[in-house]
Amino acid sequence: MKLKYREINKDGSGFIRLIPEEAEDMWHLYNLISVGDELKGTAIRRVQSESTTGSTSSERVKVTLTIEVSTIDFDAQSGLLRAGGKNVSENKFVKMGAFQTIEVEPNREFTIAKQYWDVVSLDRISAACDPTKFADVAAVVMAEGLAHLCLITPAMTIVRQKLEVPIPRKRKAAVEAHEKGLQRFFEQVLQALLRHVNFDIVKCVIIASPGFTKDQFFEYMNAEAVRQDIKVLFENKAKFMLCHSSSAHKHALKEILMDPAMMSRLSDTKAAGEMKALNDFYDMLKVDQDRAFYGIKHVLAANERMAIQTLLITDELFRSADISTRRQYIALVESVRESGGDVKIFSSMHVSGEQLGQITGVAAILRFPIPEIDDDSDDDAPANGTA
């Protein structure tokens, strides 16, 4: 996703101009656009015109529309996103108040205007526009003189840098030149790794090549880490994994990621991290029920006591058509973060998000037990029943 322009006022109102680029961007936009927002974009409309002689003709014209969103439809299989609503801007082709549909498509600029841009929406834009913030896996597919450094996210692979360095062929009279060229190539690959890979986020770094280039590079990298005292490489040495690839091009990643050993190693990614958090919640529910609660009433009560250690919440709750309900969940997220808690927003398109949705979509692991929350709900039941 490309961020073209952003204007947010002190009261939280404003607009943001974006260009979606990938299939995953459509999912982000589906979670960004809410009922009541204004969406500005281009559309093709058939317009009829009448000549002076009375004959009519029709033509397809490109128009810019601004609608107040009332319906949002998203097809996850095709990645198609449609928003419908009343036209709220003057247009010679479309009447004010006429219901119109804007189809959001890749590589087509559009603008979202909101009365209030909350922290959840702004965080989503930040993540969508900077893939390094959620890329769990980095990969270098290489051969002598050619390398592609890629970042792998749950829905796409981004080539962050392509490296091409001419290396003289290995001959008896040119062995030294070949070695120097190889060293120069490895140095550029190493610098690219240090520049583009955020080791605080990335769980695994794949080094792959058809022959022994990967082994030679890994040996060179470890030697340079010692020589230059590159601490980040020492601290993350266990994250590197060497494997065979058929080529040094991006498409070779498909066969690499399908390898069973690689799949096992990559289990500790963002989606797996969410699943671990959900399992931790269920485990806590079994061993200490007073430190695990679900349902908005119990979670809000725990938050009032600043007891939430980890908040688990699905992104589906932020798409509520009721503005007050949506703001309630946003306020909960902001409050937990302010009190030092960890917030995990689950995608309802993942298995972990579906499971969380089955228990109301919001749950919490607490720092300390609060048995009185259950006691309060027990006390409320007869009162509510007799009211």
Side-chain angles (χ1 to χ4, degrees), residues 251-269:
H251 62 76
L253 282 172
K254 183 178 179 181
E255 64 192 59
I256 296 168
L257 297 175
M258 288 178 67
D259 182 85
M262 186 61 65
M263 290 176 69
S264 174
R265 179 68 180 271
L266 298 183
S267 62
D268 187 25
T269 56

PDB file of all heavy atoms in Angstrom, residues 251-269:
ATOM      1  N   HIS A 251      10.961 -16.890  -7.654  1.00  0.00           N
ATOM      2  CA  HIS A 251      10.029 -18.013  -7.784  1.00  0.00           C
ATOM      3  C   HIS A 251      10.535 -19.281  -7.092  1.00  0.00           C
ATOM      4  O   HIS A 251       9.764 -20.204  -6.813  1.00  0.00           O
ATOM      5  CB  HIS A 251       9.713 -18.299  -9.254  1.00  0.00           C
ATOM      6  CG  HIS A 251      10.900 -18.702 -10.070  1.00  0.00           C
ATOM      7  ND1 HIS A 251      11.457 -19.963 -10.002  1.00  0.00           N
ATOM      8  CD2 HIS A 251      11.648 -18.013 -10.963  1.00  0.00           C
ATOM      9  CE1 HIS A 251      12.485 -20.037 -10.826  1.00  0.00           C
ATOM     10  NE2 HIS A 251      12.627 -18.865 -11.415  1.00  0.00           N
ATOM     11  N   ALA A 252      11.839 -19.336  -6.802  1.00  0.00           N
ATOM     12  CA  ALA A 252      12.392 -20.507  -6.119  1.00  0.00           C
ATOM     13  C   ALA A 252      11.905 -20.594  -4.668  1.00  0.00           C
ATOM     14  O   ALA A 252      11.990 -21.657  -4.047  1.00  0.00           O
ATOM     15  CB  ALA A 252      13.917 -20.455  -6.150  1.00  0.00           C
ATOM     16  N   LEU A 253      11.366 -19.492  -4.136  1.00  0.00           N
ATOM     17  CA  LEU A 253      10.885 -19.501  -2.759  1.00  0.00           C
ATOM     18  C   LEU A 253       9.718 -20.463  -2.566  1.00  0.00           C
ATOM     19  O   LEU A 253       9.528 -21.016  -1.480  1.00  0.00           O
ATOM     20  CB  LEU A 253      10.443 -18.088  -2.344  1.00  0.00           C
ATOM     21  CG  LEU A 253      11.557 -17.110  -1.988  1.00  0.00           C
ATOM     22  CD1 LEU A 253      10.989 -15.714  -1.805  1.00  0.00           C
ATOM     23  CD2 LEU A 253      12.277 -17.561  -0.727  1.00  0.00           C
ATOM     24  N   LYS A 254       8.932 -20.680  -3.622  1.00  0.00           N
ATOM     25  CA  LYS A 254       7.772 -21.556  -3.500  1.00  0.00           C
ATOM     26  C   LYS A 254       8.184 -22.962  -3.068  1.00  0.00           C
ATOM     27  O   LYS A 254       7.636 -23.531  -2.126  1.00  0.00           O
ATOM     28  CB  LYS A 254       7.016 -21.603  -4.835  1.00  0.00           C
ATOM     29  CG  LYS A 254       5.753 -22.439  -4.785  1.00  0.00           C
ATOM     30  CD  LYS A 254       5.038 -22.413  -6.120  1.00  0.00           C
ATOM     31  CE  LYS A 254       3.784 -23.282  -6.077  1.00  0.00           C
ATOM     32  NZ  LYS A 254       3.072 -23.293  -7.381  1.00  0.00           N
ATOM     33  N   GLU A 255       9.195 -23.517  -3.755  1.00  0.00           N
ATOM     34  CA  GLU A 255       9.647 -24.868  -3.414  1.00  0.00           C
ATOM     35  C   GLU A 255      10.328 -24.898  -2.052  1.00  0.00           C
ATOM     36  O   GLU A 255      10.232 -25.886  -1.311  1.00  0.00           O
ATOM     37  CB  GLU A 255      10.607 -25.378  -4.483  1.00  0.00           C
ATOM     38  CG  GLU A 255      11.895 -24.575  -4.595  1.00  0.00           C
ATOM     39  CD  GLU A 255      12.693 -24.907  -5.842  1.00  0.00           C
ATOM     40  OE1 GLU A 255      12.152 -24.751  -6.943  1.00  0.00           O
ATOM     41  OE2 GLU A 255      13.856 -25.310  -5.689  1.00  0.00           O
ATOM     42  N   ILE A 256      11.000 -23.784  -1.686  1.00  0.00           N
ATOM     43  CA  ILE A 256      11.679 -23.712  -0.388  1.00  0.00           C
ATOM     44  C   ILE A 256      10.659 -23.759   0.749  1.00  0.00           C
ATOM     45  O   ILE A 256      10.803 -24.514   1.708  1.00  0.00           O
ATOM     46  CB  ILE A 256      12.520 -22.425  -0.291  1.00  0.00           C
ATOM     47  CG1 ILE A 256      13.652 -22.432  -1.321  1.00  0.00           C
ATOM     48  CG2 ILE A 256      13.090 -22.251   1.113  1.00  0.00           C
ATOM     49  CD1 ILE A 256      14.337 -21.092  -1.483  1.00  0.00           C
ATOM     50  N   LEU A 257       9.594 -22.961   0.618  1.00  0.00           N
ATOM     51  CA  LEU A 257       8.606 -22.857   1.685  1.00  0.00           C
ATOM     52  C   LEU A 257       7.728 -24.098   1.796  1.00  0.00           C
ATOM     53  O   LEU A 257       7.089 -24.319   2.824  1.00  0.00           O
ATOM     54  CB  LEU A 257       7.736 -21.615   1.462  1.00  0.00           C
ATOM     55  CG  LEU A 257       8.472 -20.274   1.512  1.00  0.00           C
ATOM     56  CD1 LEU A 257       7.548 -19.133   1.160  1.00  0.00           C
ATOM     57  CD2 LEU A 257       9.094 -20.045   2.887  1.00  0.00           C
ATOM     58  N   MET A 258       7.688 -24.919   0.754  1.00  0.00           N
ATOM     59  CA  MET A 258       6.888 -26.146   0.792  1.00  0.00           C
ATOM     60  C   MET A 258       7.646 -27.308   1.425  1.00  0.00           C
ATOM     61  O   MET A 258       7.068 -28.355   1.703  1.00  0.00           O
ATOM     62  CB  MET A 258       6.439 -26.530  -0.623  1.00  0.00           C
ATOM     63  CG  MET A 258       5.369 -25.609  -1.197  1.00  0.00           C
ATOM     64  SD  MET A 258       4.909 -26.042  -2.882  1.00  0.00           S
ATOM     65  CE  MET A 258       4.127 -27.643  -2.612  1.00  0.00           C
ATOM     66  N   ASP A 259       8.934 -27.118   1.674  1.00  0.00           N
ATOM     67  CA  ASP A 259       9.723 -28.169   2.301  1.00  0.00           C
ATOM     68  C   ASP A 259       9.236 -28.399   3.740  1.00  0.00           C
ATOM     69  O   ASP A 259       9.094 -27.445   4.504  1.00  0.00           O
ATOM     70  CB  ASP A 259      11.201 -27.755   2.303  1.00  0.00           C
ATOM     71  CG  ASP A 259      12.095 -28.834   2.890  1.00  0.00           C
ATOM     72  OD1 ASP A 259      12.479 -29.745   2.138  1.00  0.00           O
ATOM     73  OD2 ASP A 259      12.383 -28.760   4.096  1.00  0.00           O
ATOM     74  N   PRO A 260       8.958 -29.665   4.131  1.00  0.00           N
ATOM     75  CA  PRO A 260       8.425 -29.939   5.477  1.00  0.00           C
ATOM     76  C   PRO A 260       9.304 -29.414   6.604  1.00  0.00           C
ATOM     77  O   PRO A 260       8.804 -28.885   7.603  1.00  0.00           O
ATOM     78  CB  PRO A 260       8.356 -31.480   5.515  1.00  0.00           C
ATOM     79  CG  PRO A 260       8.243 -31.889   4.086  1.00  0.00           C
ATOM     80  CD  PRO A 260       9.039 -30.880   3.316  1.00  0.00           C
ATOM     81  N   ALA A 261      10.613 -29.554   6.452  1.00  0.00           N
ATOM     82  CA  ALA A 261      11.527 -29.062   7.493  1.00  0.00           C
ATOM     83  C   ALA A 261      11.418 -27.545   7.618  1.00  0.00           C
ATOM     84  O   ALA A 261      11.455 -26.993   8.726  1.00  0.00           O
ATOM     85  CB  ALA A 261      12.958 -29.463   7.165  1.00  0.00           C
ATOM     86  N   MET A 262      11.262 -26.869   6.478  1.00  0.00           N
ATOM     87  CA  MET A 262      11.140 -25.416   6.496  1.00  0.00           C
ATOM     88  C   MET A 262       9.808 -24.998   7.108  1.00  0.00           C
ATOM     89  O   MET A 262       9.737 -24.043   7.893  1.00  0.00           O
ATOM     90  CB  MET A 262      11.257 -24.862   5.075  1.00  0.00           C
ATOM     91  CG  MET A 262      11.279 -23.353   4.988  1.00  0.00           C
ATOM     92  SD  MET A 262      12.673 -22.631   5.876  1.00  0.00           S
ATOM     93  CE  MET A 262      14.041 -23.277   4.925  1.00  0.00           C
ATOM     94  N   MET A 263       8.744 -25.712   6.776  1.00  0.00           N
ATOM     95  CA  MET A 263       7.422 -25.396   7.328  1.00  0.00           C
ATOM     96  C   MET A 263       7.425 -25.515   8.851  1.00  0.00           C
ATOM     97  O   MET A 263       6.817 -24.720   9.553  1.00  0.00           O
ATOM     98  CB  MET A 263       6.367 -26.314   6.712  1.00  0.00           C
ATOM     99  CG  MET A 263       6.095 -26.033   5.231  1.00  0.00           C
ATOM    100  SD  MET A 263       4.927 -27.207   4.501  1.00  0.00           S
ATOM    101  CE  MET A 263       3.424 -26.752   5.336  1.00  0.00           C
ATOM    102  N   SER A 264       8.126 -26.523   9.349  1.00  0.00           N
ATOM    103  CA  SER A 264       8.232 -26.707  10.799  1.00  0.00           C
ATOM    104  C   SER A 264       8.981 -25.548  11.432  1.00  0.00           C
ATOM    105  O   SER A 264       8.601 -25.038  12.484  1.00  0.00           O
ATOM    106  CB  SER A 264       8.943 -28.027  11.097  1.00  0.00           C
ATOM    107  OG  SER A 264       9.181 -28.161  12.478  1.00  0.00           O
ATOM    108  N   ARG A 265      10.040 -25.109  10.767  1.00  0.00           N
ATOM    109  CA  ARG A 265      10.861 -24.010  11.301  1.00  0.00           C
ATOM    110  C   ARG A 265      10.098 -22.681  11.283  1.00  0.00           C
ATOM    111  O   ARG A 265      10.280 -21.843  12.165  1.00  0.00           O
ATOM    112  CB  ARG A 265      12.146 -23.898  10.469  1.00  0.00           C
ATOM    113  CG  ARG A 265      13.085 -22.789  10.905  1.00  0.00           C
ATOM    114  CD  ARG A 265      13.701 -23.087  12.275  1.00  0.00           C
ATOM    115  NE  ARG A 265      14.602 -22.042  12.693  1.00  0.00           N
ATOM    116  CZ  ARG A 265      15.909 -22.018  12.410  1.00  0.00           C
ATOM    117  NH1 ARG A 265      16.451 -22.998  11.714  1.00  0.00           N
ATOM    118  NH2 ARG A 265      16.662 -21.030  12.826  1.00  0.00           N
ATOM    119  N   LEU A 266       9.223 -22.512  10.289  1.00  0.00           N
ATOM    120  CA  LEU A 266       8.510 -21.253  10.139  1.00  0.00           C
ATOM    121  C   LEU A 266       7.225 -21.194  10.949  1.00  0.00           C
ATOM    122  O   LEU A 266       6.438 -20.276  10.796  1.00  0.00           O
ATOM    123  CB  LEU A 266       8.175 -21.008   8.651  1.00  0.00           C
ATOM    124  CG  LEU A 266       9.357 -20.886   7.706  1.00  0.00           C
ATOM    125  CD1 LEU A 266       8.876 -20.580   6.302  1.00  0.00           C
ATOM    126  CD2 LEU A 266      10.314 -19.813   8.165  1.00  0.00           C
ATOM    127  N   SER A 267       7.017 -22.175  11.804  1.00  0.00           N
ATOM    128  CA  SER A 267       5.776 -22.203  12.579  1.00  0.00           C
ATOM    129  C   SER A 267       5.680 -21.018  13.539  1.00  0.00           C
ATOM    130  O   SER A 267       4.594 -20.596  13.912  1.00  0.00           O
ATOM    131  CB  SER A 267       5.673 -23.509  13.366  1.00  0.00           C
ATOM    132  OG  SER A 267       6.738 -23.614  14.288  1.00  0.00           O
ATOM    133  N   ASP A 268       6.821 -20.457  13.933  1.00  0.00           N
ATOM    134  CA  ASP A 268       6.835 -19.342  14.892  1.00  0.00           C
ATOM    135  C   ASP A 268       6.744 -18.007  14.168  1.00  0.00           C
ATOM    136  O   ASP A 268       7.602 -17.140  14.303  1.00  0.00           O
ATOM    137  CB  ASP A 268       8.098 -19.400  15.754  1.00  0.00           C
ATOM    138  CG  ASP A 268       8.062 -18.372  16.875  1.00  0.00           C
ATOM    139  OD1 ASP A 268       6.941 -17.981  17.261  1.00  0.00           O
ATOM    140  OD2 ASP A 268       9.122 -17.961  17.347  1.00  0.00           O
ATOM    141  N   THR A 269       5.688 -17.814  13.383  1.00  0.00           N
ATOM    142  CA  THR A 269       5.468 -16.557  12.672  1.00  0.00           C
ATOM    143  C   THR A 269       4.312 -15.825  13.338  1.00  0.00           C
ATOM    144  O   THR A 269       3.804 -16.235  14.368  1.00  0.00           O
ATOM    145  CB  THR A 269       5.176 -16.811  11.189  1.00  0.00           C
ATOM    146  OG1 THR A 269       4.054 -17.694  11.100  1.00  0.00           O
ATOM    147  CG2 THR A 269       6.375 -17.440  10.503  1.00  0.00           C
TER     148      THR A 269
END
